[in-house]
Amino acid sequence: MPVSPGDGSNPLLDGLRIEPTPTPTSLVIFGASGDLTRRKLLPAIYRLARGQRLPAQFSIIGVARSPMTDDEFRQQFHDSLKEFAELPKPDDVSSAVAACMGYLQGEMDDPGLYHRLCEKLKTMSAPDGILFYLAVPPGVYGTITEQLGAAGLTKPASDVGWRRIIVEKPFGIDLASARALNELLHKYFDESQIFRIDHYLGKETVQNLLVFRFANGMFEPIWNRRYIDHVQVTAAETVGVERRASYYESAGALRDMVQNHLMQVLAMITMEPPIAFSAENVRDRKHDVLASIQPILEGRPDNVVRAQYGAGWVAGSEVPGYREEEGVDPKSTTETFVALRLQLDSWRWAGVPFYLRTGKRLPKRTTEIAIQFRRPPLHIFKRVSPTAIASNLLIVNVQPDEGISVRFEAKLPGSRMQLAPVMMNFRYGSAFGTPVPEAYETLLLDAMLGDPTLFARHDFVEASWGLITPIHEAWRASGATAIPTYEAGEWGPREADAMMSADGRRWRTL
C-alpha cells in the first residue's frame, strides 16, 4: 500500500510532498528553428525528462518556415543538447524524447499549415492536452492566434483535453498594442489558458523572494519605510546588441528590460502578503504594486535617464559604439542604458525611493537587488571607532551567482574597539547539493501543469505599459537627435550618477 508523505509511516518522507506530474501533453513550438528553441527550450525539455518531470505521454511538434524533416529536427535537438546542455552524444533519455518529435514547415499565415498540424497531431497519436509556444517575432503573435482559432485548435477534442498558449516577450510595444493583443488572445483563449512568459520569474532567487519575505518572521517587521532607506535593482549585461539590431532598434532598454523583467522584480520586492499562495492572490498583490507607482515623469523629468554606449573596452576586448554596430542607424537615439527613480504611494513604502538601472556593454554581467537599511539612530562607537558605520545591506543575487547576502557591522579582532562591515552569504549552488534548475525548465513545467503563478496576467502587463508608454511619448515629443553616452565598459553615464547624488545616495559598486 502506498505511503503518503508526512503520515509518520516513513520518517524519510516527513515534510516532503510528491511533485506533481503534468497530464499527457503535446508541445507545439512555433519558431522551432530559432535561437530560443535551440538554446533554451530543447535543453529545458531534456532536463525535465532526465528529472522524470514529463508525463509518460509526451510529444513535440516543431513548426517553422525553415525546410526540415522530422529526422533533421531530431538531429537539431541532439545538436542543441551537445552545445547547450553539455551532452556530447545521445543518451537513453534524449533518444526517448527524440522519438516523440515531429516537424512541420510552412508560413505562419497559411491556413493549410494549421490543417496539416491537425493531421500531424493525429498521425503522432499526440495527447489532446496541447501547449502552444510562440517562440516567434512579436509581429506574428496575432497571426498565429487567429489561424489556431480558425482551424479549431484552440478547443480540446475530448473532455480530458486542454489548450494553453505561451506568449514570449515583448508583449506589445506600448499600452495600445498590449491591449489589442490581449483582446485578440481573449477572443480565442480564456485568461486561464494564456501564459505570458518572463524568464526572470523562473529564476530560483526571484521565486525565493516570496519565501524569504513571507516564511521568515524576522524580516517582515523591518520590510517597510521605517527601516529601509532605499532599494536598488541592477540588470547589467556585458554584451552589445549582437545580431539583434533590427529588434533592439525598435525596442531599446526601457521596452526590452524595464517594462517586463524589472517591473516583475519590483513587484516581488514590494508586494503585500497574499492571503494564500495561489496564482490569483499572488498576482492580485503584484498588480497592486504597479497601481501604487506614482507617474514616473510627473513633476520630475530627471526621474529617468537614458544613454547609449560608445566605443570602449569590455572584458579586455575593444568593442564598437552602438551607432557603429551592424544594422544600427548611424543617427539612432535608441537607449542602451536606462535608470529610473520610482516612488510608491503605499502605506508600507511611502517615501522610499526605488532605483532601477539596466544597460548593455557594462563592466559585468549581473542582476541583483540591493536593499539598503537605515543607519542606527545613534553612533555610540564614534569615539573609539571614528569611521562611519556602513549601512546594513540585504543583497539578492539573481544571476549569475544565485544567492542572498547580508552585510552587517562586526568588531575587528584585537584589543581595540574597531568596526568593519562583514558579509554573510547563502548560495544556491552549494547550499542544497543539487543543480539549480534553469528558468525555462520551471516555467515550461508550470505551463504544462496549468499553474500561472509565475506568469504575467493581462492587467499587470497593461499597468506596466501604462507607466512606461508616457516616457516613450515624452522622448518622442522632445525631438532629440542625440542622447547622453557612456563609454563601453563603464557603469553608465554621469547623468545616472547625478540622479543618485541629488538624493544624497550613490549606486552600489558591483
Side-chain angles (χ1 to χ4, degrees):
M1 178 179 177
V3 177
S4 60
D7 68 355
S9 303
N10 186 342
L12 296 179
L13 294 178
D14 278 353
L16 300 180
R17 63 184 177 88
I18 297 175
E19 295 288 351
T21 301
T23 56
T25 301
S26 300
L27 175 62
V28 178
I29 303 174
F30 290 93
S33 61
D35 275 356
L36 175 62
T37 301
R38 292 189 309 105
R39 290 174 176 271
K40 298 295 184 181
L41 301 186
L42 296 179
I45 291 165
Y46 168 73
R47 293 188 186 102
L48 287 171
R50 277 192 64 87
Q52 298 182 326
R53 304 306 309 279
L54 294 180
Q57 288 181 268
F58 181 75
S59 61
I60 305 170
I61 297 178
V63 183
R65 297 172 60 189
S66 304
M68 205 183 307
T69 65
D70 289 353
D71 286 339
E72 288 171 335
F73 185 43
R74 295 180 185 117
Q75 185 59 50
Q76 175 184 297
F77 173 61
H78 291 304
D79 293 342
S80 168
L81 300 186
K82 183 177 181 180
E83 186 174 358
F84 302 110
E86 299 180 355
L87 187 70
K89 61 181 181 179
D91 60 10
D92 291 344
V93 174
S94 64
S95 297
V97 173
C100 304
M101 298 176 70
Y103 184 83
L104 280 176
Q105 184 267 333
E107 298 292 333
M108 299 301 147
D109 59 353
D110 177 15
L113 171 65
Y114 299 85
H115 293 301
R116 286 187 282 120
L117 176 57
C118 292
E119 295 304 313
K120 188 79 168 179
L121 288 163
K122 292 176 184 176
T123 58
M124 292 181 63
S125 299
D128 194 36
I130 303 179
L131 176 62
F132 301 107
Y133 199 119
L134 305 191
V136 293
V140 293
Y141 291 167
T143 299
I144 294 173
T145 301
E146 290 181 319
Q147 293 291 349
L148 288 173
L153 281 163
T154 60
K155 299 185 182 300
S158 65
D159 293 338
V160 296
W162 49 263
R163 297 291 186 274
R164 299 182 190 121
I165 186 168
I166 295 179
V167 184
E168 271 284 347
K169 79 169 187 74
F171 195 91
I173 60 170
D174 54 19
L175 179 57
S177 60
R179 282 176 173 164
L181 182 53
N182 274 329
E183 289 174 5
L184 178 61
L185 287 167
H186 287 151
K187 183 178 177 181
Y188 299 103
F189 295 93
D190 183 79
E191 178 62 26
S192 64
Q193 299 173 276
I194 303 168
F195 291 73
R196 301 169 189 82
I197 196 167
D198 186 333
H199 72 269
Y200 264 51
L201 291 185
K203 294 181 180 296
E204 285 290 324
T205 319
V206 175
Q207 296 175 63
N208 196 51
L209 274 172
L210 295 179
V211 177
F212 186 81
R213 288 190 56 195
F214 303 132
N216 295 293
M218 65 186 293
F219 297 109
E220 174 55 27
I222 60 172
W223 209 265
N224 55 58
R225 68 187 187 282
R226 182 175 180 184
Y227 298 100
I228 293 177
D229 179 77
H230 73 278
V231 177
Q232 297 182 26
V233 181
T234 299
E237 299 178 279
T238 56
V239 297
V241 292
E242 307 300 304
R243 292 174 295 176
R244 301 171 67 226
S246 59
Y247 159 73
Y248 205 84
E249 270 286 84
S250 61
L254 191 62
R255 285 189 177 101
D256 188 47
M257 291 293 293
V258 177
Q259 182 273 328
N260 38 69
H261 301 328
L262 297 194
M263 286 297 180
Q264 289 282 1
V265 170
L266 178 67
M268 300 281 267
I269 299 167
T270 57
M271 63 185 280
E272 291 297 319
I275 59 174
F277 187 65
S278 67
E280 289 312 295
N281 278 301
V282 170
R283 299 201 292 178
D284 283 345
R285 299 291 76 78
K286 286 168 62 179
H287 178 262
D288 290 345
V289 171
L290 297 197
S292 72
I293 297 176
Q294 297 176 5
I296 298 172
L297 292 178
E298 192 171 283
R300 291 290 300 269
D302 62 335
N303 275 345
V304 180
V305 171
R306 60 171 169 163
Q308 192 179 84
Y309 66 79
W313 293 77
V314 178
S317 299
E318 190 172 10
V319 297
Y322 178 73
R323 290 185 173 189
E324 287 78 52
E325 298 275 16
E326 184 179 350
V328 172
D329 182 351
K331 298 181 180 180
S332 173
T333 57
T334 298
E335 78 285 359
T336 63
F337 175 98
V338 65
L340 302 92
R341 180 200 292 113
L342 305 180
Q343 295 273 357
L344 276 61
D345 284 332
S346 71
W347 193 268
R348 181 186 294 267
W349 297 113
V352 177
F354 291 82
Y355 302 98
L356 280 57
R357 63 172 171 170
T358 183
K360 291 186 175 295
R361 292 297 189 204
L362 299 183
K364 180 180 178 182
R365 175 182 174 266
T366 185
T367 301
E368 74 152 42
I369 303 156
I371 298 163
Q372 182 165 316
F373 292 88
R374 298 186 186 279
R375 288 187 171 91
L378 183 63
H379 183 9
I380 66 172
F381 301 103
K382 60 185 175 182
R383 290 184 180 179
V384 292
S385 183
T387 56
I389 292 177
S391 298
N392 297 145
L393 270 177
L394 174 65
I395 303 165
V396 180
N397 300 100
V398 177
Q399 64 178 13
D401 191 13
E402 297 170 305
I404 297 173
S405 302
V406 178
R407 186 180 77 185
F408 57 94
E409 289 289 319
K411 178 186 175 297
L412 286 171
S415 58
R416 296 180 58 194
M417 178 60 74
Q418 290 184 298
L419 280 63
V422 295
M423 300 293 288
M424 186 163 56
N425 301 311
F426 155 73
R427 291 290 176 265
Y428 267 99
S430 57
F432 298 110
T434 56
V436 177
E438 291 285 338
Y440 278 94
E441 293 176 55
T442 300
L443 296 171
L444 271 173
L445 181 61
D446 280 357
M448 287 188 276
L449 290 167
D451 181 356
T453 306
L454 299 178
F455 296 83
R457 200 168 60 187
H458 67 100
D459 52 355
F460 185 97
V461 172
E462 292 181 15
S464 180
W465 277 119
L467 292 165
I468 298 303
T469 298
I471 300 174
H472 280 120
E473 291 174 345
W475 288 347
R476 196 160 46 245
S478 73
T481 57
I483 62 175
T485 60
Y486 59 99
E487 185 178 324
E490 293 185 346
W491 280 106
R494 291 189 299 271
E495 288 81 356
D497 296 330
M499 181 179 78
M500 295 288 280
S501 298
D503 293 348
R505 301 181 176 92
R506 64 180 181 85
W507 294 106
R508 255 179 52 76
T509 302
L510 301 176

